[in-house]
Amino acid sequence: MTEAGTQKRAGRAVRVEDVAREAGVSPITVSRALSDPEKVREETRKKVAEAVAKTGYVVNRFASSLRSGRSSIISVFVSNLQNQHFANAVQGCADALEGSGYHLLMAQTGYSDRLQQDVVERVLPFRPAAVMFTGVVQSERTRAQLGKLGIPVMEMWDYRPDPIDMLVGFSNAEGGRLMGEHFGRRGFRRIAYCGRTEDRGAQRLAGFREGLAASGRTVDFVLPLEGRRTVTDGMQALEQIRAGLPGCDAIFFGTDILAVGAVLEARHLGLKIPGDVAIAGYGDLEFVKQLHTPLTTIYVGSYALGLAAGQMLRKRLRHEEIGERIALSPIHLEVRASTGG
Amino acid sequence: MTEAGTQKRAGRAVRVEDVAREAGVSPITVSRALSDPEKVREETRKKVAEAVAKTGYVVNRFASSLRSGRSSIISVFVSNLQNQHFANAVQGCADALEGSGYHLLMAQTGYSDRLQQDVVERVLPFRPAAVMFTGVVQSERTRAQLGKLGIPVMEMWDYRPDPIDMLVGFSNAEGGRLMGEHFGRRGFRRIAYCGRTEDRGAQRLAGFREGLAASGRTVDFVLPLEGRRTVTDGMQALEQIRAGLPGCDAIFFGTDILAVGAVLEARHLGLKIPGDVAIAGYGDLEFVKQLHTPLTTIYVGSYALGLAAGQMLRKRLRHEEIGERIALSPIHLEVRASTGG
DNA sequence: CCTGTTGACGATAACGTTGTCATCGAGGGG
DNA sequence: CCCCTCGATGACAACGTTATCGTCAACAGG
């Protein structure tokens, strides 16, 4: 058994009935005055407001949601708020939904599918009006279950062509392409990629190749580094790339953290950036412009993404036309000193 | 009128009654089998479980909370998740409460008192089992209102001796003191402080003076900078301090962001750090160890703080003895190159 | 055999609100 | 002057669950 629910409120709650008696009207009129004021005369509304103030009445949303069959809860699934981008996105959602009367219920998911399944089931008792995910839902079973729920579902962050319902994401391919074109304009000749080569990484790499192809270039060396990586990995990567591709003059890292490591290591080795080797990253860190050698990277607006998702969802909840159910949040190239800004 | 509540569920919901019929028991037995399994025979429990699976029953927490008078909702007030420290703290709370059966409801507060008052009222309809705040509650009216609620209240982040109910915070004075002692050990002679001189800043400064006093030192120059500040402010501050206190050889900034600016400006001016001027900050940024000149600062464990707060609250909700209702989360000095680490 | 206790389960009612339909008077068109 | 619409309000019942009390059988102790 769970621990929840040992809190009991003391005393008898103030009910609509009490307010109604105080105001000299019927309970249903109190209800209307509070939730649909236009249907009540100005004068009556005022009497009710006074009675509410006097009694200290606070509506009970459990009763109200039960009876009306409406829920003001939107459930937000986040794998980890310590990831600053996710936190920003959630804040964006919150801001977009401010004043809409909806409330965000945090649901923590680990990265694992099994957990996500559990959590979805833990949230369903609240009959949420909608659910949002930072990151696409992986498990097919969960996707099917969510689809059948008949409520708006928002997937954020990643792109996929067949969302459960709505999606606002970044195009990883677009980011890679922008960087490829930039490398072409800069005239780099021996080009390496380092980072993940699965999922998001694969998309970034594919886009990168495409962008380079526009100026007849190719990726001459790929150093795959799967999973979570650190600055130290980036430092080692630089050596491996220089060994694997002698004369390499430009490296695109799939993740800023690796690029930061490479920048530090290059300075350590006395290499000129970008003279000897140009280095670029992909936007997962906010401080890279404050490095000694500011890093060229792909800027990812995680707050803006969350805001856009929240706005789309809000429209949807108002039954307004939302047009496309898939939106790509803008990303752009930040050219800085590390590629010769 | 708010927008919320336009979602209506289609079809007839599966109720305990349906499950009961399927399992050949009474509704109340189904309820018990699900929420208090020990009171039901193993065999009956199994029949109920099968019936639940077959019917796809999901409990309706609105009905259950309404009838039982218990809420599984804990309301968390955050001013801004884009502040990484707050996000970490919230994640800590979430982790501490994982598996407890409680759910976190996000409540966004601006920094203003008026807003906080509004939001508290927006949350009360959920009859939360507890409320948590990142940051102490400023408004006396809100403090009184919360006190009367009779539910656990947790204030996080700042320290104050008279919390509404429970508090887990950092001692800003302690951080200042540690830095003052460090400056003493380093032998700095002409010492400046720059940053806020109100609230948290005042405490940091007071602690700093105290730490310096241990080695007979004093703060020779104070440059007050109230409000939110940026790297640029830090850059300008360095010049002002050098003008205001010629020969200044060490500066303690009340906020890392200012210290970062000063470090960048010092490098720009060709000053040696810490040879010409030592610089230290106060832990609000995570990347300062990755600067070209890593920054000495006060480390603040925001995740650990949230975790501790969540754990204390969890105990409290189980009616366990919690001992002190006030806890100080550990902070410590991170000595790095910018003060001659 | 009687009384008391315990364990498993059920019948009834109530939690506080709002959807639905009904009522009633005011005003407008024929 | 009648019929109809419209605005404002009320009576009643129902949303889905669980607290409370009650029933009934099994069993122990005297």
Side-chain angles (χ1 to χ4, degrees):
Chain A
M1 168 183 192
T2 91
E3 301 163 26
T6 32
Q7 303 311 305
K8 259 202 133 153
R9 335 213 89 240
R12 187 177 292 89
V14 178
R15 307 195 294 278
V16 269
E17 195 189 320
D18 305 312
V19 180
R21 197 179 316 115
E22 182 71 32
V25 298
S26 74
I28 186 66
T29 300
V30 172
S31 172
R32 274 196 281 254
L34 294 176
S35 60
D36 207 354
E38 295 165 15
K39 296 200 164 182
V40 171
R41 251 194 318 164
E42 167 78 35
E43 193 193 320
T44 314
R45 216 183 303 160
K46 220 173 122 190
K47 279 193 295 181
V48 170
E50 278 164 16
V52 165
K54 186 165 175 191
T55 55
Y57 172 73
V58 176
V59 67
N60 183 326
R61 215 174 282 288
F62 295 132
S64 116
S65 283
L66 172 61
R67 172 62 236 211
S68 69
R70 299 185 213 113
S71 172
S72 67
I73 287 180
I74 294 175
S75 167
V76 186
F77 292 77
V78 197
S79 55
N80 185 3
L81 279 177
Q82 290 186 89
N83 177 326
Q84 201 168 352
H85 286 288
F86 289 161
N88 289 348
V90 172
Q91 183 66 45
C93 294
D95 288 346
L97 292 163
E98 176 68 26
S100 68
Y102 288 99
H103 302 260
L104 294 185
L105 191 75
M106 295 277 309
Q108 190 176 355
T109 67
Y111 286 91
S112 111
D113 284 4
R114 177 73 203 131
L115 255 170
Q116 201 163 62
Q117 174 74 34
D118 284 353
V119 173
V120 167
E121 280 165 9
R122 223 174 292 159
V123 159
L124 259 26
F126 285 103
R127 304 290 190 266
V131 292
M132 309 183 83
F133 293 83
T134 54
V136 298
V137 180
Q138 299 294 343
S139 142
E140 281 308 321
R141 192 178 146 211
T142 308
R143 296 183 74 83
Q145 188 181 8
L146 288 166
K148 269 184 270 175
L149 243 44
I151 58 175
V153 176
M154 172 62 78
E155 291 172 279
M156 291 181 280
W157 208 257
D158 289 301
Y159 171 78
R160 62 181 278 173
D162 57 338
I164 299 172
D165 179 18
M166 292 177 289
L167 181 146
V168 178
F170 296 117
S171 167
N172 286 295
E174 170 73 5
R177 198 177 54 72
L178 290 172
M179 192 61 79
E181 290 169 1
H182 172 63
F183 275 29
R185 283 192 299 273
R186 277 286 178 268
F188 301 134
R189 315 272 5 148
R190 287 177 70 75
I191 296 167
Y193 170 86
C194 171
R196 301 193 61 182
T197 58
E198 295 168 358
D199 303 331
R200 292 172 200 173
Q203 294 166 21
R204 290 172 192 178
L205 177 53
F208 185 48
R209 287 189 204 276
E210 194 187 317
L212 286 172
S215 59
R217 288 174 168 75
T218 57
V219 176
D220 304 306
F221 185 77
V222 172
L223 177 62
L225 285 182
E226 309 299 338
R228 275 200 169 280
R229 295 301 175 157
T230 66
V231 173
T232 317
D233 294 315
M235 299 174 94
Q236 291 166 0
L238 182 68
E239 296 190 55
Q240 292 178 41
I241 291 166
R242 284 167 52 82
L245 182 68
C248 168
D249 65 352
I251 313 172
F252 174 34
F253 288 90
T255 305
D256 274 351
I257 193 84
L258 292 171
V260 169
V263 166
L264 295 176
E265 179 66 9
R267 292 185 55 83
H268 183 73
L269 296 174
L271 296 174
K272 284 203 192 85
I273 305 171
D276 295 319
V277 60
I279 293 172
Y282 200 109
D284 54 1
L285 294 175
E286 295 193 345
F287 67 83
V288 296
K289 63 166 152 298
Q290 286 151 334
L291 289 178
H292 181 263
T293 304
L295 189 68
T296 291
T297 193
I298 298 297
Y299 171 82
V300 155
S302 39
Y303 175 82
L305 176 133
L307 200 66
Q311 285 165 344
M312 187 190 285
L313 179 60
R314 189 168 175 167
K315 270 194 176 181
R316 178 76 184 289
L317 288 165
R318 276 195 305 239
H319 302 288
E320 285 176 19
E321 201 45 62
I322 58 165
E324 282 299 317
R325 303 204 152 191
I326 300 183
L328 286 181
S329 198
I331 57 183
H332 60 262
L333 180 69
E334 287 278 355
V335 178
R336 304 206 186 96
S338 72
T339 57
Chain B
M1 163 181 190
T2 91
E3 302 164 25
T6 31
Q7 304 310 304
K8 260 204 135 154
R9 333 214 88 243
R12 187 177 291 91
V14 179
R15 306 195 295 278
V16 268
E17 195 189 321
D18 304 312
V19 180
R21 198 180 315 115
E22 182 71 32
V25 296
S26 75
I28 187 68
T29 299
V30 172
S31 172
R32 273 196 282 254
L34 294 175
S35 60
D36 207 353
E38 295 163 17
K39 296 201 164 183
V40 172
R41 252 194 317 164
E42 168 76 37
E43 194 193 321
T44 314
R45 215 183 305 159
K46 221 173 118 187
K47 278 194 295 183
V48 170
E50 279 163 16
V52 166
K54 185 164 174 191
T55 54
Y57 173 73
V58 175
V59 67
N60 183 325
R61 214 174 283 287
F62 295 132
S64 119
S65 282
L66 171 61
R67 173 63 238 216
S68 69
R70 298 187 214 112
S71 171
S72 68
I73 285 179
I74 294 174
S75 165
V76 186
F77 293 78
V78 197
S79 55
N80 184 3
L81 279 177
Q82 289 186 88
N83 178 326
Q84 200 166 355
H85 285 287
F86 290 162
N88 289 348
V90 172
Q91 183 66 45
C93 295
D95 288 346
L97 291 163
E98 176 69 25
S100 67
Y102 288 99
H103 302 259
L104 295 185
L105 191 75
M106 295 277 311
Q108 191 176 354
T109 67
Y111 286 91
S112 113
D113 283 4
R114 177 73 205 130
L115 253 170
Q116 204 163 59
Q117 175 73 36
D118 286 353
V119 173
V120 168
E121 280 166 8
R122 223 174 292 160
V123 159
L124 259 24
F126 286 103
R127 304 291 190 267
V131 293
M132 310 183 83
F133 293 83
T134 54
V136 298
V137 180
Q138 300 294 342
S139 143
E140 281 308 320
R141 193 179 145 212
T142 308
R143 296 184 74 84
Q145 187 181 9
L146 288 166
K148 269 184 272 177
L149 244 44
I151 59 175
V153 176
M154 172 63 77
E155 291 172 278
M156 291 182 281
W157 208 258
D158 289 301
Y159 171 78
R160 63 182 277 173
D162 57 338
I164 299 173
D165 178 19
M166 293 178 289
L167 180 146
V168 179
F170 297 116
S171 166
N172 286 295
E174 171 72 5
R177 199 177 54 73
L178 290 171
M179 191 61 80
E181 290 170 1
H182 172 63
F183 274 30
R185 282 192 299 274
R186 278 286 178 268
F188 302 134
R189 314 272 5 148
R190 286 177 71 75
I191 295 168
Y193 169 86
C194 171
R196 301 192 62 182
T197 59
E198 295 168 358
D199 303 333
R200 291 173 201 172
Q203 294 166 21
R204 290 173 191 177
L205 176 53
F208 185 48
R209 286 190 206 276
E210 195 187 316
L212 286 172
S215 58
R217 287 175 168 73
T218 56
V219 176
D220 305 305
F221 185 78
V222 171
L223 177 63
L225 285 182
E226 310 300 338
R228 273 199 170 278
R229 295 301 174 156
T230 66
V231 173
T232 315
D233 294 316
M235 300 173 94
Q236 291 166 0
L238 182 67
E239 297 189 55
Q240 291 178 42
I241 290 167
R242 285 166 52 81
L245 182 68
C248 168
D249 65 353
I251 312 171
F252 174 34
F253 288 90
T255 305
D256 274 351
I257 193 85
L258 292 172
V260 168
V263 166
L264 295 175
E265 179 67 9
R267 292 186 55 82
H268 182 74
L269 296 174
L271 296 174
K272 285 205 191 84
I273 307 172
D276 295 320
V277 61
I279 293 172
Y282 200 110
D284 54 0
L285 295 174
E286 295 192 346
F287 67 83
V288 295
K289 64 167 153 297
Q290 286 150 335
L291 289 178
H292 183 264
T293 304
L295 189 69
T296 292
T297 193
I298 298 295
Y299 170 83
V300 155
S302 40
Y303 175 82
L305 177 134
L307 200 66
Q311 285 165 344
M312 187 189 287
L313 180 59
R314 190 167 174 168
K315 271 194 175 181
R316 178 75 183 289
L317 288 166
R318 277 194 305 239
H319 301 289
E320 286 176 20
E321 202 43 63
I322 59 165
E324 282 298 319
R325 304 204 150 190
I326 299 183
L328 286 182
S329 198
I331 58 183
H332 59 263
L333 179 68
E334 288 277 355
V335 179
R336 303 208 186 95
S338 72
T339 57

